[in-house]
Amino acid sequence: MVHMTSGTGTRLRTFERAVSVRIAESALTLNGVLRMERLHRWLTVRKLKEAFDVRRIAFEQLRKWSVAPDTGNLAHESGKFFSVEGLSVAVSDGPVKEWSQPILNQPEVGILGILVKEIDGVLHCLMQSKMEPGNADGVQLSPTVQATRSNYSQVHKGRPVPYLHYFRDTAGHRVLADVLQSEQGSWFYRKRNRNMIVEVTTDVEVIDGFCWVTIGQLHSLLSEYDLINMDARTVLSCLPFSAAGIASLFSFGGDDFRSSVIRSFSEDNGSLHSSGDVLSWITESRVGNDVATKLIPLDETTGWRRTSHAITHESEAFFDIIAVDVSAESREVDGWSQPMISPRSTGLVAFLVKRISGVLHVLVNARVEPGYLDVIELAPTVQCSPENYGHLPPDARPAYLDDVLEAPEGAVRYDTILSEEGGRFFKAQNRYLVIEVGDGEHEEVRRDFRWLTVHQLTALIRHSHYVNVQARSLVACLHSLSCGVAGGNG
Amino acid sequence: MVHMTSGTGTRLRTFERAVSVRIAESALTLNGVLRMERLHRWLTVRKLKEAFDVRRIAFEQLRKWSVAPDTGNLAHESGKFFSVEGLSVAVSDGPVKEWSQPILNQPEVGILGILVKEIDGVLHCLMQSKMEPGNADGVQLSPTVQATRSNYSQVHKGRPVPYLHYFRDTAGHRVLADVLQSEQGSWFYRKRNRNMIVEVTTDVEVIDGFCWVTIGQLHSLLSEYDLINMDARTVLSCLPFSAAGIASLFSFGGDDFRSSVIRSFSEDNGSLHSSGDVLSWITESRVGNDVATKLIPLDETTGWRRTSHAITHESEAFFDIIAVDVSAESREVDGWSQPMISPRSTGLVAFLVKRISGVLHVLVNARVEPGYLDVIELAPTVQCSPENYGHLPPDARPAYLDDVLEAPEGAVRYDTILSEEGGRFFKAQNRYLVIEVGDGEHEEVRRDFRWLTVHQLTALIRHSHYVNVQARSLVACLHSLSCGVAGGNG
């Protein structure tokens, strides 16, 4: 069952083998309980089974949602789930210093949990095929559990959430990751979800719509068009992945790209900046940016127009607030309607990467987004919708955007279209890229950027409020590259 | 100049020696540039020089501060410094589920910075003698810089803040710590300060009111009555202190108390819970407590009464808001008046500690305070004003309080009265205690408590929002115990 390009380490089959080795082994295994072809076929069947009918409707056609007469806010009759409100923002830096915008307010913390289990000696993840109204192309693989508290406390009186008990009571299981992580700070106000990975050794019944896949299979699917959903990506980024794990199974040591990626996951030195210097830079970035935000009535956002079917910025940029009606079968409830955010264009999310003394470094940006709890989080080098910059002056163009847009083909190490949370965002797709630049390029960077190793990012991902959701997705893509799973031209 | 009880390691005199060794060396040095007696005499002289006249006044006598007619909030005419507002609080757990209270709102981040420099081969800290209106007993030693942004941006047109430039531009210096840390979450709304330690190698002019002291001298003074101020303690707790540093200078290995403290600073295993399990417990505590807070007009707090001179709780417990007038010489400005928080009684701040397989563990509490940015922070085992519990039912009595109050004399390892920030709090004193319990005691603890090693706490102190200010003070006291500086009966 284990299929590996190269293996050098011993392979103890006990529960107690170092977690990192077991993760690496699973990451190098492309055929698990299901072979890859079977997995694809299963996804095709699920796509048919979970077919959805999603229709755009007028706000006044929303069922159980209403527009508050005094504020214009959109809220569910239970007071739960989320609401669409307004946010006024004032920042000390940047091309636009003050604005207001619609924002999703979802104060309750949900659980995104992947259950893992050793099957025939290899770790497998229990993944769920999931249709969401915002998905661009049918079902995606999602974590075992993806539930808001309103879901699992049964506010909408639906079916109970399967496998939830493994995450609500972890006694007797092994917790591989458990951390609150933020989500899109431009669209959500201080939202975060609990990202969990829990290992069990007891029997687990696999119910319809779920299947066991190896980490290698997940990485392989991640390089395909829009198959791994955002929630699965952020949980994957929290896996305690390490260079030592891979090194025990795979010989590397050349000056090739893949070896530089593996070294970048290593805790040993070789980073351009010490971890103390990185923390100090983050502190400086938090103190150096003044960001004042305030929730306001949705009706008081300026520059936004409401029609019967959409709330739209007068520049026709950014995103719209829309309403959709969903008729579906395989879901906690049998049909519903809800408001969503619908971005105006496809975004670009890219890391510039560079080998420094044989160790891959990624150029991260200390980025302000108004919905962050603590001013800035570390973001990809470029994260924007290029079309939004049409109405702004040229010096407002995002830094390093041209390095990404004009990268030669051979420099593109990863290139996949992935989408953001389809339960809140309607066809919100981003092109995720890893672009390599030459040794001598960008030695001087702007003060809000730093070259970090991947290990420096993964060490921060153990804590909340450091690495944003787009950068976490790219960290999952970098895992793939270390395992030799090609993405784009990589 | 170096005076040590025992030294085993090599003593390289270069800048590049491991920071932890240099810190340990300074911590074991009780006579630095100034001998201990000289230091005490210097403090006595400063006490005379910086004498203050602090008088309680009526709110309407405050200069440059006023009561907003619509809210009753107390604010400075500049809109800077801080304001006294109201906070309404609803929590899911605890004896009291809803209340409102006055709170200090100070959104701007200040700098608490200690400048360090190797003098005659030993690290010294540049400390400042500082009088604050709330001090119970004259001057205290404070960090080199202790400045709000209003101070250093000269809102009150005073003298410039000395040494500030070392912390505002660290280029060319070595940053040993730089992290945003919270302060009292019961009295401040989401306040935090930037805790910094910066090492310089260039010449530093020592101006009047400042002097160079070793870390060992600071620890020795910390065990005395109320000499090291809160700001100095929190910065000290951020020092990258390690067992390896001490081990290279001091032979230990027995099963005595001090050896167990030193081992507790070690990163190597020996902890009851893995760091992953600790992070998971913290996440669970954040998700498991619902805390809703909202700033409200001070006039709308219920149960609080305002007279001409004080705002007081109707139970006469907790604290008062008062106003003071200060006439002083050695200060950025020559006299001022301000509101302050005046606690009703002396508090108790204590760690229960226990040797587990020869490694000291401390019993920490995941504690909710309404002013925390992220729901809970790790707090001492007991942190309360025992007198506040008179009007509450007996089961509302703080956990483990009796273990502290009834501890046999030999179990008291540290016992000192220290006070909280004298610039905001009027004679807010706490008795800081470290109490050892026997091996077999408290093996089962409440779910909001865990036995952690000191290293597990110091690793978390590198990040924001994990360890509260009272626990950080106790971590500084535990440093002292590892260096053999006695505290109380320790």
Side-chain angles (χ1 to χ4, degrees):
Chain A
M1 173 149 304
V2 180
H3 175 85
M4 252 169 282
T5 45
S6 167
T8 60
T10 55
R11 297 192 204 148
L12 302 169
R13 294 290 177 199
T14 71
F15 184 73
E16 289 307 320
R17 283 178 307 153
V19 168
S20 64
V21 175
R22 297 158 70 227
I23 289 170
E25 197 166 83
S26 178
L28 295 172
T29 300
L30 280 177
N31 287 299
V33 168
L34 290 185
R35 297 187 64 82
M36 211 57 203
E37 313 83 74
R38 279 288 312 275
L39 186 52
H40 272 113
R41 220 175 315 139
W42 180 79
L43 280 166
T44 308
V45 172
R46 296 306 310 172
K47 195 171 282 196
L48 296 171
K49 274 199 173 173
E50 297 190 34
F52 251 15
D53 183 30
V54 181
R55 281 183 315 121
R56 283 195 55 178
I57 56 175
F59 292 121
E60 65 171 27
Q61 292 173 286
L62 283 165
R63 281 171 289 139
K64 302 187 180 175
W65 289 80
S66 58
V67 178
D70 50 337
T71 59
N73 292 352
L74 285 159
H76 191 259
E77 63 182 22
S78 65
K80 302 287 181 179
F81 300 106
F82 65 96
S83 55
V84 187
E85 307 185 17
L87 190 75
S88 80
V89 185
V91 297
S92 54
D93 266 340
V96 180
K97 301 269 188 301
E98 280 189 40
W99 73 92
S100 61
Q101 63 166 84
I103 200 147
L104 305 190
N105 189 8
Q106 182 169 347
E108 59 180 52
V109 174
I111 292 177
L112 309 179
I114 294 182
L115 198 66
V116 302
K117 180 174 156 66
E118 228 172 72
I119 303 177
D120 296 331
V122 177
L123 278 185
H124 281 68
C125 304
L126 187 62
M127 304 301 287
Q128 180 180 8
S129 75
K130 202 172 182 80
M131 185 71 192
E132 294 280 7
N135 286 6
D137 188 38
V139 300
Q140 297 175 322
L141 275 189
S142 81
T144 321
V145 165
Q146 178 179 319
T148 62
R149 197 191 290 190
S150 300
N151 284 139
Y152 62 70
S153 59
Q154 316 257 317
V155 168
H156 51 170
K157 303 186 181 66
R159 298 184 267 277
V161 177
Y163 305 110
L164 181 66
H165 61 282
Y166 291 107
F167 301 93
R168 296 200 74 183
D169 179 7
T170 58
H173 311 310
R174 186 172 186 166
V175 178
L176 303 186
D178 185 1
V179 58
L180 297 177
Q181 296 288 4
S182 68
E183 297 188 0
Q184 284 77 3
S186 297
W187 295 340
F188 279 122
Y189 183 67
R190 299 189 175 176
K191 181 188 178 191
R192 60 238 190 109
N193 270 321
R194 186 173 181 183
N195 287 231
M196 298 182 81
I197 303 173
V198 173
E199 182 178 2
V200 290
T201 51
T202 49
D203 283 344
V204 175
E205 187 200 358
V206 178
I207 63 177
D208 198 39
F210 290 79
C211 75
W212 290 110
V213 300
T214 67
I215 298 169
Q217 291 180 318
L218 284 176
H219 283 312
S220 172
L221 296 174
L222 182 60
S223 70
E224 294 190 32
Y225 174 76
D226 211 5
L227 273 184
I228 305 292
N229 82 353
M230 182 190 90
D231 295 348
R233 300 194 304 267
T234 171
V235 179
L236 271 179
S237 77
C238 299
L239 261 182
F241 205 80
S242 85
I246 306 181
S248 72
L249 299 166
F250 172 79
S251 306
F252 69 98
D255 56 4
D256 58 303
F257 182 75
R258 183 178 172 188
S259 294
S260 79
V261 180
I262 296 174
R263 281 189 208 99
S264 189
F265 278 95
S266 166
E267 161 162 32
D268 302 334
N269 260 328
S271 58
L272 190 60
H273 306 286
S274 73
S275 66
D277 285 346
V278 172
L279 291 175
S280 180
W281 169 64
I282 292 171
T283 301
E284 172 71 38
S285 303
R286 289 194 164 141
V287 171
N289 281 289
D290 283 330
V291 179
T293 58
K294 196 178 159 199
L295 287 171
I296 58 172
L298 183 51
D299 275 349
E300 290 178 17
T301 52
T302 52
W304 295 80
R305 290 193 212 117
R306 189 192 294 249
T307 66
S308 61
H309 282 67
I311 299 169
T312 308
H313 192 255
E314 58 193 12
S315 68
E316 301 197 341
F318 313 119
F319 59 84
D320 296 349
I321 301 290
I322 62 167
V324 299
D325 186 78
V326 185
S327 333
E329 282 171 30
S330 166
R331 194 59 195 226
E332 302 100 83
V333 288
D334 296 317
W336 71 94
S337 62
Q338 66 170 87
M340 300 192 87
I341 279 186
S342 172
R344 280 271 167 173
S345 56
T346 298
L348 204 61
V349 173
F351 266 143
L352 292 192
V353 303
K354 173 159 89 159
R355 285 177 248 182
I356 302 178
S357 305
V359 178
L360 196 81
H361 283 63
V362 303
L363 187 58
V364 302
N365 174 211
R367 180 182 172 96
V368 171
E369 293 187 13
Y372 290 152
L373 185 67
D374 201 358
V375 190
I376 64 105
E377 294 194 10
L378 303 188
T381 322
V382 174
Q383 176 193 319
C384 70
S385 291
E387 294 176 26
N388 286 349
Y389 292 84
H391 69 298
L392 291 176
D395 64 350
R397 197 169 167 80
Y400 306 107
L401 178 56
D402 294 333
D403 292 88
V404 173
L405 295 178
E406 292 159 18
E409 203 180 329
V412 180
R413 295 297 187 169
Y414 204 93
D415 184 357
T416 309
I417 302 274
L418 298 168
S419 61
E420 309 309 305
E421 171 53 37
R424 297 289 175 271
F425 309 129
F426 189 75
K427 299 185 180 173
Q429 292 192 313
N430 281 306
R431 187 173 165 199
Y432 280 83
L433 290 154
V434 174
I435 308 278
E436 188 177 16
V437 300
D439 206 4
E441 288 183 66
H442 300 306
E443 300 215 323
E444 295 283 315
V445 294
R446 287 170 38 149
R447 69 182 165 78
D448 49 340
F449 286 79
R450 283 289 185 284
W451 288 107
L452 305 190
T453 64
V454 181
H455 174 76
Q456 290 180 316
L457 283 180
T458 58
L460 293 173
I461 289 176
R462 298 189 77 197
H463 308 283
S464 306
H465 314 308
Y466 275 123
V467 181
N468 82 351
V469 64
Q470 293 87 351
R472 295 200 306 277
S473 274
L474 281 175
V475 165
C477 297
L478 287 160
H479 283 184
S480 305
L481 291 173
S482 77
C483 299
V485 178
N489 303 306
Chain B
M1 171 148 304
V2 181
H3 176 84
M4 253 169 281
T5 45
S6 167
T8 59
T10 56
R11 299 195 202 146
L12 301 170
R13 292 292 177 198
T14 71
F15 184 74
E16 288 308 320
R17 284 177 310 151
V19 168
S20 64
V21 176
R22 297 158 71 227
I23 289 171
E25 196 165 84
S26 178
L28 295 171
T29 300
L30 281 177
N31 288 298
V33 168
L34 290 185
R35 295 188 64 83
M36 212 55 206
E37 312 83 77
R38 278 290 313 277
L39 186 52
H40 272 112
R41 221 177 313 138
W42 180 79
L43 278 165
T44 308
V45 171
R46 295 305 311 174
K47 196 172 281 198
L48 296 171
K49 273 199 173 173
E50 298 189 35
F52 252 13
D53 183 30
V54 181
R55 282 184 314 121
R56 283 195 55 178
I57 55 175
F59 292 121
E60 64 170 30
Q61 292 174 287
L62 282 166
R63 283 168 289 137
K64 301 189 180 174
W65 288 81
S66 58
V67 178
D70 50 338
T71 59
N73 292 351
L74 285 158
H76 191 260
E77 62 182 23
S78 65
K80 303 288 181 180
F81 302 107
F82 65 96
S83 55
V84 187
E85 308 185 18
L87 190 74
S88 80
V89 186
V91 298
S92 54
D93 266 340
V96 180
K97 301 268 188 303
E98 282 189 38
W99 72 91
S100 60
Q101 63 165 83
I103 199 145
L104 305 190
N105 188 7
Q106 182 169 346
E108 59 180 54
V109 174
I111 291 176
L112 309 179
I114 294 183
L115 198 66
V116 302
K117 180 175 156 67
E118 227 171 73
I119 303 177
D120 297 332
V122 177
L123 277 185
H124 281 68
C125 304
L126 187 61
M127 303 301 287
Q128 179 180 7
S129 77
K130 199 169 183 81
M131 185 70 191
E132 294 281 6
N135 286 6
D137 188 39
V139 299
Q140 297 175 323
L141 275 189
S142 81
T144 321
V145 165
Q146 180 178 319
T148 62
R149 199 192 288 190
S150 300
N151 284 140
Y152 62 70
S153 57
Q154 315 258 316
V155 168
H156 51 170
K157 302 184 182 66
R159 297 185 265 280
V161 177
Y163 306 109
L164 181 64
H165 60 281
Y166 291 107
F167 301 93
R168 295 201 73 185
D169 179 7
T170 58
H173 310 311
R174 185 172 186 165
V175 178
L176 302 185
D178 185 0
V179 57
L180 297 176
Q181 295 288 5
S182 68
E183 296 188 0
Q184 284 78 3
S186 297
W187 295 341
F188 279 122
Y189 184 67
R190 299 189 174 176
K191 183 188 177 190
R192 60 240 190 107
N193 269 322
R194 185 173 181 181
N195 287 231
M196 298 182 81
I197 303 173
V198 173
E199 182 179 4
V200 289
T201 51
T202 50
D203 284 346
V204 176
E205 186 199 0
V206 178
I207 65 178
D208 198 38
F210 290 79
C211 75
W212 289 110
V213 301
T214 68
I215 297 168
Q217 290 180 319
L218 284 176
H219 283 312
S220 172
L221 296 174
L222 181 61
S223 70
E224 293 190 33
Y225 174 76
D226 212 5
L227 272 185
I228 304 292
N229 82 354
M230 181 190 91
D231 296 348
R233 300 194 305 268
T234 171
V235 179
L236 271 178
S237 77
C238 300
L239 261 182
F241 206 79
S242 84
I246 305 180
S248 72
L249 298 167
F250 173 78
S251 305
F252 69 98
D255 57 3
D256 58 304
F257 182 75
R258 182 178 174 191
S259 294
S260 79
V261 180
I262 296 174
R263 280 188 209 102
S264 191
F265 277 95
S266 166
E267 163 163 28
D268 302 333
N269 260 329
S271 58
L272 189 59
H273 305 286
S274 71
S275 65
D277 285 346
V278 171
L279 291 175
S280 180
W281 169 65
I282 293 170
T283 301
E284 172 71 36
S285 303
R286 289 193 164 140
V287 171
N289 281 289
D290 282 330
V291 178
T293 58
K294 196 178 158 196
L295 287 171
I296 59 172
L298 183 52
D299 275 348
E300 291 178 17
T301 53
T302 54
W304 294 81
R305 291 194 211 116
R306 189 192 294 249
T307 66
S308 61
H309 282 68
I311 299 170
T312 307
H313 192 254
E314 58 193 12
S315 68
E316 300 197 343
F318 312 118
F319 59 85
D320 296 349
I321 301 290
I322 63 168
V324 299
D325 186 78
V326 185
S327 335
E329 281 172 29
S330 166
R331 193 61 195 228
E332 302 100 82
V333 288
D334 297 318
W336 71 95
S337 62
Q338 67 171 89
M340 300 192 86
I341 278 186
S342 172
R344 280 271 166 170
S345 57
T346 299
L348 203 61
V349 174
F351 266 141
L352 292 191
V353 303
K354 174 159 89 157
R355 286 177 246 182
I356 302 178
S357 304
V359 179
L360 196 81
H361 282 64
V362 303
L363 187 58
V364 302
N365 174 211
R367 180 182 172 94
V368 170
E369 293 187 12
Y372 290 152
L373 185 67
D374 202 359
V375 189
I376 63 106
E377 294 194 10
L378 302 188
T381 322
V382 174
Q383 176 193 318
C384 69
S385 292
E387 295 176 26
N388 285 348
Y389 292 84
H391 69 298
L392 289 178
D395 64 350
R397 199 169 165 80
Y400 306 107
L401 177 57
D402 293 333
D403 292 88
V404 173
L405 295 178
E406 292 159 18
E409 201 178 329
V412 179
R413 296 296 186 169
Y414 203 95
D415 183 358
T416 308
I417 303 273
L418 298 168
S419 62
E420 309 308 305
E421 170 55 35
R424 297 288 176 273
F425 310 129
F426 189 75
K427 299 185 180 172
Q429 291 192 314
N430 282 307
R431 187 173 166 201
Y432 281 82
L433 290 154
V434 174
I435 308 278
E436 188 177 15
V437 300
D439 206 3
E441 287 184 67
H442 300 306
E443 300 215 324
E444 295 283 315
V445 295
R446 286 170 39 146
R447 69 182 164 79
D448 49 339
F449 286 79
R450 283 287 185 285
W451 289 107
L452 305 191
T453 64
V454 181
H455 175 76
Q456 291 181 316
L457 282 180
T458 57
L460 292 173
I461 289 176
R462 298 189 77 198
H463 307 283
S464 306
H465 315 309
Y466 274 123
V467 182
N468 82 352
V469 66
Q470 292 88 350
R472 296 199 306 275
S473 273
L474 281 175
V475 165
C477 297
L478 288 161
H479 284 183
S480 304
L481 291 173
S482 77
C483 300
V485 178
N489 302 309

